[in-house]
Amino acid sequence: MRELLKRAIPHLSEQECDKFVAYYDLLIDWNTRMNLTAITAPEEVVKKHFADSLAALPLLSDGAKVVDVGTGAGFPGIPLLIRRPDLRLTLVDSLQKRIGFLETVLRELGLTAACVHARAEDFGRMPAHRGTYDFAVSRAVAALPVLLELTVPLLKVGGKSICFKGEASQELESAKSALFLLHASAETVTVPADYGVRSLVICTKNAPTPKTYPRKAGTPSKSPL
Ligand code: SAM
C-alpha cells in the first residue's frame, strides 16, 4: 500500500502516507457494513479515489474555506485535507450513516473538519453557510446544471466551484443556462489520468446568487436549470 501511494502521489511525507493507509483500512472495514464504495482493490483506491481527489490541490489557496458537497465516503474532501490540513473544510452529505463514517475517519487521522448531514439544497439556504465559502468541491454527485445550483449559492462572490468530471464538453454545453441564471462562468482543465478522461470544471461566481436558488430539495435534479 505504501509503495502504491508513493508511486501515485508525488512528494508524500511518511505522516501523510500513514494517514492514507489508515483511511484505506477504515474504508474497507466500514464498507463491509455499509455501502461506501464499489472500488476496493488497493491500487484502484489509490488511483481512482485518493490521487483523483488531489487533482484540485493546486487550485486551493492557503487556509481556504472549502465545502465538499455530496462527499460520500469523503471524496474529494478528505484526501485534500490529508495533504492540506490548513484548509477549513466542511463535508456535506444527505446520508446520515456516511457522516458517522466521516467523523470516525477524521478522529482516527487526527484531522479537523465539520461534518454536516443535510441536503445541499437546504444547506445552501442556511445563513451560516450561504455565500461564505472560497471553494466548493464535488465529485460524482450530479450533472453540471444541478451541481451548479447546489454549490454556487454557497460561494462568496469570486469563489469557485470545482466539479470533478469525466469528459465535460457536453455537460458544459447543457450548463449554459444554469451559469447565466446563477451569475457564474466556467472553464475546463483536463487532468492527466491513465483510466479515461478526467477533467475539472471550474466555475467562478461573478455576482450574488438570486434568492430563488437553490430551489427546494429535489427540484434541481427533477427540473435542472
Ligand atoms: N463524492 C463522493 C465520491 O466521489 O466518491 C461520493 C459520490 S456518491 C455517487 C454521491 C453522494 O452525493 C452520495 O453520498 C449522496 O448521498 C450525496 N448526495 C446526492 N445528492 C445530494 C444532495 N442533494 N445533497 C447532499 N448530498 C447529496
Side-chain angles (χ1 to χ4, degrees):
M1 187 65 182
R2 301 184 81 83
E3 278 312 303
L4 290 169
L5 282 161
K6 287 184 177 171
R7 222 178 300 141
I9 306 170
H11 314 298
L12 199 65
S13 72
E14 290 304 319
Q15 206 192 17
E16 290 167 339
C17 201
D18 292 344
K19 289 188 178 6
F20 277 112
V21 172
Y23 188 14
Y24 175 76
D25 290 343
L26 285 165
L27 184 69
I28 298 306
D29 177 30
W30 281 63
N31 205 38
T32 60
R33 299 187 292 281
M34 68 173 69
N35 179 18
L36 289 172
T37 177
I39 296 172
T40 54
E43 57 275 28
E44 297 277 291
V45 172
V46 167
K47 213 190 265 193
K48 296 183 181 169
H49 281 329
F50 295 166
D52 189 71
S53 294
L54 294 172
L57 211 54
L59 301 168
L60 305 175
S61 43
D62 286 353
K65 193 173 172 200
V66 181
V67 59
D68 181 355
V69 173
T71 188
F75 305 116
I78 291 182
L80 291 168
L81 189 65
I82 291 175
R83 295 226 73 181
R84 288 282 304 282
D86 59 291
L87 298 174
R88 291 171 292 148
L89 178 67
T90 300
L91 301 165
V92 180
D93 203 277
S94 54
L95 273 188
Q96 177 70 54
K97 281 196 293 188
R98 294 193 172 140
I99 299 295
F101 169 73
L102 297 169
E103 286 171 342
T104 302
V105 171
L106 291 166
R107 195 175 53 247
E108 296 286 320
L109 272 56
L111 295 170
T112 305
C115 299
V116 181
H117 170 225
R119 294 285 297 246
E121 295 90 326
D122 303 323
F123 188 73
R125 292 196 158 273
M126 295 176 190
H129 295 285
R130 188 180 176 88
T132 68
Y133 289 89
D134 300 304
F135 296 94
V137 290
S138 52
R139 198 185 76 147
V141 176
L144 199 53
V146 180
L147 209 46
L148 291 176
E149 185 170 355
L150 302 183
T151 57
V152 171
L154 292 164
L155 300 171
K156 297 172 183 167
V157 172
K160 292 181 195 299
S161 174
I162 304 171
C163 308
F164 287 64
K165 291 286 175 189
E167 210 294 305
S169 54
Q170 230 170 338
E171 275 198 62
L172 207 50
E173 190 61 32
S174 71
K176 275 191 175 155
S177 116
L179 287 165
F180 174 76
L181 293 167
L182 295 163
H183 307 315
S185 49
E187 56 176 320
T188 307
V189 174
T190 304
V191 178
D194 61 6
Y195 50 93
V197 179
R198 298 294 295 151
S199 53
L200 298 177
V201 179
I202 306 164
C203 304
T204 305
K205 175 165 170 169
N206 299 317
T209 308
K211 285 198 173 67
T212 340
Y213 308 116
R215 291 166 292 166
K216 74 174 176 16
T219 305
S221 53
K222 253 183 252 141
S223 175
L225 295 175

